[in-house]
Amino acid sequence: QPRCEDLSKAEAVVATVHQAKGLEFPMVLVGKDFGFKALLKGDARRPQHLCEVANLIYVAFTRAKAFLLRKLA
């Protein structure tokens, strides 16, 4: 598979939230269970876990410049 070194010229970029941190894209597609499953199964006795998951959700959702799509089904 050919790779595009300049992400601004790539047709699609598949990345984890950690890899996308600090980058922006015209459109971002987030999987239906991203982050929310982790929030639901998180350890309520560990508020730090909830903060970490909430931060990942924030980072993922703010990567979109124009469109944020979240798969619902």
Side-chain angles (χ1 to χ4, degrees):
Q1 298 263 349
R3 291 184 175 254
C4 181
E5 296 300 323
D6 183 357
L7 294 181
S8 66
K9 295 179 181 174
E11 291 182 31
V13 175
V14 178
T16 66
V17 176
H18 294 287
Q19 291 170 327
K21 197 169 185 179
L23 302 174
E24 289 184 320
F25 303 96
M27 179 176 19
V28 172
L29 172 63
V30 177
K32 68 177 179 175
D33 61 350
F34 170 77
F36 299 98
K37 272 189 179 178
L39 277 175
L40 293 175
K41 34 181 211 185
D43 187 350
R45 297 167 294 169
R46 230 183 101 223
Q48 181 63 26
H49 169 77
L50 298 177
C51 290
E52 291 167 5
V53 174
N55 185 52
L56 283 177
I57 293 170
Y58 171 81
V59 169
F61 284 17
T62 57
R63 299 308 88 204
K65 287 183 182 178
F67 299 100
L68 172 65
L69 303 172
R70 183 163 176 267
K71 187 171 179 166
L72 297 176

